[in-house]
Amino acid sequence: MSDRIVAISTPPGEGAVGIVRLSGSGVVETVSGFFHPYNKDLPLTLRNNFSLNLGWLLDLEGEKIDEVLVSVMRAPHSYTGEDVVEINCHGGSLAIRRCLKRCLDTGVRLAEPGEFTKRAFLNDRLELSQAEAVIDIIRAKTDRGLKLAVQQLGGRQGQLIADLEEQLLHLNAMLEASLDFPDEVGDLDDAEARRILESCINKIKQLLKAGQRAEVYRDGINMVICGKPNVGKSSLLNALAQKERAIVTDIPGTTRDVIEEYINIRGIPVKIVDTAGIRETEDLVELIGVQKSKEVIENADLVLFMVDFSAGISDEDMDIFAGIPAEKMIVLVNKEDIEDKKISPAELREKFQNMTVIKSSVKMETGLDELEQAVYDLVLGTETMHDGLEIMINLRQKLALQNSLAHMQAALEALGTMPLDCLGVDIWGALERLGELSGKSLKEDIIDRIFHDFCIGK
Amino acid sequence: MIYEAGSYDVVVIGAGHAGCEAALASARMGCQTLLATLSMEGIGLMPCNPSIGGPAKAQLVREIDALGGEMGINIDKANLQMRMINTGKGPAVQSLRAQADKHEYHRELMKTILQQEGLHILMAEIEDIQCQDEQVCAVITRTGARFACQAVVVTSGTYLKGRIIVGDLAYEGGPANQFPSVKLADSLRSMGITLGRFKTGTPPRIDRKSVDFSKMSEQPGDPDVPNFSFITPKANREQLSCYLTYSNKKTHQIVMDNLNRSPLYTGVIKGKGPRYCPSFEDKVVRFAHKESHQLFVEPEGRDTDEMYVQGLNTSLPEDVQMAVLRSIPGLENVRIIRTGYAIEYDYVLPSQLKLSLESKKIAGLFTAGQINGTSGYEEAAAQGLIAGINAALKVKNQPPFILKRSEAYIGVLIDDLISKESDEPYRLLTSRAEYRLLLRQDNADLRLTEMGRSLGLVDDYRWQIYQNKKRQLDSLIELLQKTTYTPADKTIAGYLQKKNSAPIKDRVSLWELLRRPEVNLSDYVEMGLIPPQNPDIMEQLEIQSKYEGYINKQREQVIRFEKMENKLIPADIDYDTVSGLSSEALQRLKQFRPESIGQASRISGITPADINVLLIFLKRKEGIR
Ligand SMILES: Cc1cc2nc3c(=O)[nH]c(=O)nc-3n(C[C@H](O)[C@H](O)[C@H](O)COP(=O)(O)OP(=O)(O)OC[C@H]3O[C@@H](n4cnc5c(N)ncnc54)[C@H](O)[C@@H]3O)c2cc1C
Ligand SMILES: Nc1nc2c(ncn2[C@@H]2O[C@H](COP(=O)(O)OP(=O)(O)O)[C@@H](O)[C@H]2O)c(=O)[nH]1
């Protein structure tokens, strides 16, 4: 029995096709759980060794992530000597990452650097003479990984993590001291524990948010412009593209094909999805309710919904509007230069309550700055903009933070209802996961802290 | 003149808490055993606090008991107060603590030792351990008796080159005015064993008749006296109280004014003392903002007026000790019976041991207890038991008995000692155990009795009690799982309503229902849903069901943990031939020589990359063979 591991096995940004590789007992069953082959009668688990299988990858809700090619190699006839599945994604770096995330969601562990090779070796799939080479790979990858992690821990975010560690250590010490030295320390101060947990949860969320922001800058966002024909969608696109004078085409793995436009809004690469389709069919309305449009909107990070002062708001418009999730929508009311407005301010207020509504004239180039600001705010959030955190976290760090957060939340929930020894499981868990960021084990530190923070001794 | 005095399978040096367990285990496993002690009063002597148990330590005592050791049974005979500590903080940390009657403890343990078949006691100082080809072969007493043997267990406690310090007075001595043991340390050194130096201290003892208890608060024992041993029948002994008082600003001023006379601060004491057991002067200096420290006044026995002042461990000069005491409420007119003191002693750096507690260097030489750099009676007894067992197994040519960190606190204790360097005496804490929820005092018998039985330490009487308990547990679980109710059932619905518990939606078993915090087994009994049960059984099952989620989480962690523990590193590995290790890892591995990959990963300075390199090296070696 070997536990299941997964990693992206093509370096990021090298070609449009990326491979996500899994190894370990039961990975065929794992992938079969979210792979939907075109030949429905033959699930992955019944496919032959070394077969290549085409189909769809589904997310947790059963929605399609990407069209993929899946190959199956069962133990012992595989690179690692264990069951191996490789998922070939087409949809660029975003699809690869979503695919990886899907695997992680099923409880598969992210592979350590060099772990596939190590397994191959331990399972006799590599020659003994290759041992040195394997050691080199593992050493190089691990050491480089650690160095990177340590470098990243400098500066503001390093301070934040150090604060977190410090607070969590203190909390751990408080709890443990009350368990090991009940006469001297007494009971855990629940209110203090709650305060610390809440503050830690806040800090972690801040870090994750900052990381997410960096991801936005690195990977960009998907934006869909939708609205009836003639509201000014292509004019807007041209205006934005011209204004920023940066039609990004040299993003690795993408070509400037008809269906994708890249523009740059305040440094964020924005991919405008399916504009060609929208332009050419000229009739998104027809598509509403159809699977295709749902998919486009589903996959978008942001939807720009356009209406037209000269045309008024029709039932058709409201149908489109109803199909867009409110939290990622901006309403743009175009052609405000027109004298004869068919939309009153009162109507706007009533129909688009609690929405970001921006008036513009693409023709006169008004409202475009506000639009850009609104896009920026929606994607990056307004509240954490000035925390000065510029942090690029990799997936491993993100997982460590997320796992630590989950433990803290569980602890907060258990506080006051479960006994302290159970609480200890999660409070220690939170610290242990956090330790993965710096590669430290913090167990001994807790004991040092007990003696440092509390007067103990008989 | 040296003369041949006889021959034994195992010789145990020292009759403290470690030595007594070692000797009893060895004799009970059928080895002819000699137990040597500097004095008969030293048998089971408690030179410091008069208590046994408390967090982590109670778990140790229960584990010793389940394996057929003596400490639990003996303290059940010789206590003057029992209290369950940490109730309400969860089953993993709940722990029993006894105030011991020191004299009775010593007497009862001596009786057991004297009655043990196959065990001879000898009052003598062992001065030399003889080896042949790096294997022990005999011990020699100060008076020249030579006893041939196959294994030696050294449990010399704080006696090795013991030095007593009170103020500016320092002299060679053992604890409690016993003799020190000088030559034995040199004998160990000459075998190539590295010794270090630690220090510890003890408070003054005072005369009960001179204490005004009306100014203190009384701390009685629990009304329903629980036992340590799984086989001690219930008996309610009369309980004595302890008393709580506090130091004050005046006390602290006296300490500060006399720091220049404290050997800790003048540099007379060089050995490193334990942080969890600081001297009173240390506490006053380090926690200067605290205006008072609590002090417990505890009886040392039923037939003595001596009382122990817990929290006032000190090596200040005698006149300062007196002034300090008399500044404390209730002690204004106190008389000292024994002066507090510090003691420095030699110990064996424990990284020189295997997990069996045998020396890596000298075959058949075992060390256990305070000589291994621990402190505490329970830690000593636990090691003594393991060393005694392994000495006997060695004589019988059988593989050693090693408990994992996931099986017992004893495993945590010994693994910590051997894989981690410590610059202070080691004390076990519940926070040192990763799998605390599995290693509870209440289930020590379920964890370990079967192992004790196969070692030959669990007699028929204990075995029967254990099997009986197991049978009852199994049948009650079965009954609870089998008995199910639907939402329509009136009894259950009414009961849940009374308990403010949500009604059930589907058919549930009594076992599933028990997971709810507000539901308990005694209610089931009361409602006639199950027959009356023994309280221990009910407690056990309630813990198992209510904490099932957390317990299962830890079980899963254990599976992963044990995989690494089971990957053994051959004893003859030559680390210099392992390419790819960092230089720090190389040095640490050579120093510690871990027995498994798991143990290696716990040594500080060893990174995951080093562990991978080791795994690959082992694999390659295996391939070549
Ligand atoms: C002053 C003092 C303060 C302490 N304070 C604390 C504390 O605060 N907290 C705590 O947990 N623990 C404390 N302890 C420790 C506790 O008493 C010990 O951990 C425990 O008793 C050790 O048990 P042991 O079996 O290892 O050794 P001991 O109980 O010390 O027994 C050693 C035995 O070895 C015998 N012996 C030694 N050398 C020879 C020889 N050459 N030949 C024959 N026999 C020999 C002695 O006669 C004795 O029987 C203190 C001890 C002392 C002395
Ligand atoms: N007056 C006015 N006309 C505009 C504005 N924006 C676009 N138009 C015009 O509206 C028409 C339709 O625009 P187009 O961008 O093709 O709409 P699409 O079908 O939504 O892509 C064109 O004739 C544009 O010139 C505007 O802000 N004001």
Side-chain angles (χ1 to χ4, degrees), chain A residues 128, chain B residues 617-625:
Chain A
L128 282 177
Chain B
F617 176 85
L618 294 180
K619 177 73 191 178
R620 182 163 55 173
K621 219 166 160 198
E622 197 178 290
I624 290 165
R625 272 179 197 157

Side-chain angles (χ1 to χ4, degrees), chain A residues 228-236 279 282 334-338 360-364:
Chain A
K228 280 187 311 190
N230 274 323
V231 293
K233 296 186 292 294
S234 18
S235 311
L236 174 71
R279 264 176 297 170
E282 286 290 301
N334 194 27
K335 306 191 189 174
E336 67 169 341
D337 53 294
I338 298 264
S360 71
S361 162
V362 175
K363 196 168 163 192
M364 314 302 291

Side-chain angles (χ1 to χ4, degrees), chain B residues 14 50 61 70 94 366 398 415 442 487 516 530 587 591:
Chain B
V61 179
E70 203 57 33
Q94 186 164 327
F366 295 80
Q398 288 175 15
D415 183 63
D442 64 79
R516 301 186 175 191
I530 57 170
Q587 182 244 321
Q591 179 192 348

Side-chain angles (χ1 to χ4, degrees), chain A residues 118 139 176 178 183 421 458, chain B residues 92 294 310 436 580 612:
Chain A
K118 176 180 119 190
R139 269 247 94 98
E176 297 299 336
S178 94
D183 287 343
D421 54 0
K458 298 180 167 173
Chain B
Q294 54 182 9
Q310 160 111 262
R436 190 157 65 183
N612 280 329

